[in-house]
Amino acid sequence: MRPDLDPEQLDRYSRHIIMDDVGPEGQAALLDSSVLVVGAGGLGSPVLQYLAAAGIGRLGVVDDDVVERSNLQRQVIHRDDDIGRPKVDSAREFVTGLNPDVTVDTHEVRLSKENVRDLVTDYDIVVDASDNFETRFLVNDACTLAGIPFSHGAIFRFEGQVTTFTGDGEGPCYRCLFPEAPPAGTVPDCATAGVLGVLPGTIGCIQATEVVKLAMDYGEPLDGRLLAYDAAEMTVDEVPVAPNPDCPVCGDDPAIGSIDEATYEGRCSLPAE
């Protein structure tokens, strides 16, 4: 038994510890891990909730938004009394109330070219729980270039998708799927199209599961596989994702060698020829 698990921790994590595939060593790995969650909204809420409950030792939360009443239909870590508060503050309060073992770093900023490298490289694993293409491409490029694993999730009406990129230099990255963002206005956001309130819970829980597996180095992550979930039809399809040799970030002759070489507005485009 790991000697520095105190009696309260042995009790709190007992259902992990009694599992042969987790045990005290697996729980110790979780407590020693650090995870950056980009976005404290629909996807970030279940991710933060379950990573905190699992005992991830340090959680970073990036979000520059405040809680609005319309968030409460799906962003389950925020409460009615939090309306008007920064999401990072209510997220920290929720996490520390759930599990005092967890250290919470709050970053009340919008992810940008100027801060993304310092943020992602300070953590072992990153979760992309964002709701816009600019942030998704920033997370991908920064993590891929630094070799940091990250989980990607996205939701739309009744549909969600989730995958994991391990950053090992052998699997694909997000730009292998989407070299550039779609034209502005062609993909409506949740405020325009709506989203089923329980959907981000499903996708976010899968993302949290992937993080726990990565932290314990257990099981098979969704590297090279994208799960497409349809809540209306209650179906899950697995789509293979192969590395793209022409990928601008991880391909054979990458066009993007640093964050400074790409544009993260509009089409999130490649360097000009």
Side-chain angles (χ1 to χ4, degrees):
M1 188 68 66
R2 185 186 177 198
D4 56 347
L5 288 176
D6 61 41
E8 288 188 0
Q9 290 175 322
L10 292 172
D11 188 20
R12 178 184 293 273
Y13 307 117
S14 61
R15 300 306 189 271
H16 273 171
I17 293 168
I18 61 175
M19 295 174 65
D20 291 339
D21 296 325
V22 180
E25 295 80 10
Q27 188 59 55
L30 296 178
L31 288 164
D32 290 340
S33 295
S34 61
V35 178
L36 180 70
V37 181
V38 181
L43 291 171
S45 289
V47 169
L48 288 164
Q49 181 176 16
Y50 277 96
L51 293 185
I56 294 293
R58 183 165 70 98
L59 288 173
V61 188
V62 180
D63 202 305
D64 68 340
D65 205 358
V66 299
V67 179
E68 299 177 2
R69 184 167 285 106
S70 61
N71 299 151
L72 304 181
Q73 161 252 18
R74 64 201 178 280
Q75 300 183 17
V76 294
I77 64 174
H78 309 299
R79 302 290 182 263
D80 197 73
D81 289 345
D82 293 322
I83 292 172
R85 294 181 68 195
K87 288 184 180 179
V88 294
D89 290 348
S90 55
R92 176 178 55 194
E93 186 174 292
F94 179 92
V95 168
T96 56
L98 178 63
N99 190 348
D101 284 346
V102 181
T103 299
V104 183
D105 306 328
T106 58
H107 307 281
E108 192 181 351
V109 296
R110 186 174 183 85
L111 210 66
S112 68
K113 292 174 69 169
E114 290 70 34
N115 61 30
V116 65
R117 278 173 293 208
D118 288 341
L119 285 170
V120 303
T121 55
D122 196 33
Y123 295 85
D124 301 322
I125 306 166
V126 175
V127 178
D128 171 18
S130 64
D131 62 358
N132 64 88
F133 285 103
E134 177 183 348
T135 303
R136 291 168 187 163
F137 281 96
L138 269 169
V139 169
N140 175 78
D141 295 356
C143 288
T144 301
L145 291 170
I148 297 172
F150 73 99
S151 170
H152 160 74
I155 51 175
F156 178 74
R157 293 180 177 167
F158 285 88
E159 300 175 358
Q161 66 181 39
V162 58
T163 187
T164 298
F165 303 104
T166 59
D168 61 3
E170 297 181 3
C173 77
Y174 185 72
R175 283 195 191 261
C176 292
L177 277 169
F178 308 107
E180 293 185 344
T186 59
V187 180
D189 58 18
C190 290
T192 304
V195 61
L196 187 69
V198 297
L199 175 65
T202 304
I203 301 302
C205 281
I206 297 174
Q207 290 186 274
T209 303
E210 288 287 274
V211 169
V212 168
K213 287 159 51 184
L214 288 171
M216 296 193 303
D217 192 23
Y218 180 82
E220 294 295 330
L222 284 170
D223 191 31
R225 297 178 291 151
L226 182 143
L227 294 187
Y229 171 64
D230 186 328
E233 301 297 329
M234 198 50 69
T235 58
V236 179
D237 295 320
E238 184 176 296
V239 180
V241 182
N244 179 3
D246 298 321
C247 175
V249 175
C250 69
D252 296 336
D253 186 20
I256 298 174
S258 77
I259 295 296
D260 299 325
E261 295 175 357
T263 300
Y264 295 95
E265 298 175 354
R267 297 295 301 275
C268 302
S269 58
L270 313 181
E273 294 292 340

